[in-house]
Amino acid sequence: MDIESRGLTPQQRLAVSRRALVAQLQGREHPHDAAGPFEASEPEPQSARRETVLDRIAWVAVARRVAQRWWRRHPANAAGQLARPLIERYARERPAQLMVAAAGAGALIVLIRPWRLLSITAVLAAVLKTSDVADLVTTLMHKNQDSPP
């Protein structure tokens, strides 16, 4: 059924259109007739994203889960989670200044080239630093329920 034929006000049609755009950008299928114009649809979990060709390979799915779990437990993620509200507020208030600061920081990193000062061991230690290595090994050894034996 078409949105215009439902007899919605322009504001209601705009809200429906925005929800459809957000659902499309997040990779979810938009239920056109499942939910009414005023019903808030439940946000789908992260695992309900579109399946790609790589998702059919068992090792790719395992590697993706391991990488996600590693990143959730990494100290850099914790620092990012703490800084996120501040950065989001700053982005809402002064988006142009934030973009200029990000571009300046990127240019400074390219000019200074700090990766040349670090040894490979130091880089690996920073990347692999996690609060629970045993948990990471357990995740690697955990059998995928969706894959055939």
Side-chain angles (χ1 to χ4, degrees):
M1 182 184 291
D2 197 29
I3 292 176
E4 287 82 19
S5 64
R6 291 184 186 175
L8 301 176
T9 66
Q11 291 83 8
Q12 293 168 337
R13 289 195 317 254
L14 178 63
V16 169
S17 175
R18 284 181 179 165
R19 281 196 300 264
L21 284 172
V22 168
Q24 179 68 32
L25 289 174
Q26 291 177 345
R28 294 184 282 142
E29 294 297 324
H30 180 66
H32 294 288
D33 294 323
F38 307 127
E39 296 175 17
S41 59
E42 289 282 325
E44 294 182 14
Q46 289 281 1
S47 62
R49 59 183 181 75
R50 291 184 181 165
E51 183 176 322
T52 64
V53 175
L54 291 176
D55 289 333
R56 295 180 185 155
I57 302 170
W59 286 104
V60 173
V62 170
R64 179 176 287 132
R65 281 201 331 257
V66 168
Q68 288 172 345
R69 188 171 195 134
W70 167 79
W71 178 243
R72 280 195 313 261
R73 301 184 70 81
H74 197 277
N77 184 28
Q81 294 296 325
L82 288 174
R84 187 175 183 148
L86 176 68
I87 293 171
E88 285 178 347
R89 191 184 82 213
Y90 194 75
R92 277 193 310 271
E93 294 172 0
R94 301 183 188 114
Q97 288 180 354
L98 183 64
M99 289 176 56
V100 169
L108 186 65
I109 288 172
V110 168
L111 290 175
I112 294 175
R113 299 181 186 173
W115 56 87
R116 292 182 5 190
L117 302 174
L118 299 174
S119 68
I120 292 175
T121 307
V123 172
L124 284 175
V127 168
L128 297 176
K129 184 176 184 178
T130 182
S131 60
D132 192 357
V133 176
D135 190 41
L136 184 64
V137 172
T138 304
T139 302
L140 279 171
M141 297 174 64
H142 184 68
K143 181 181 173 187
N144 186 3
Q145 288 98 6
D146 299 332
S147 67

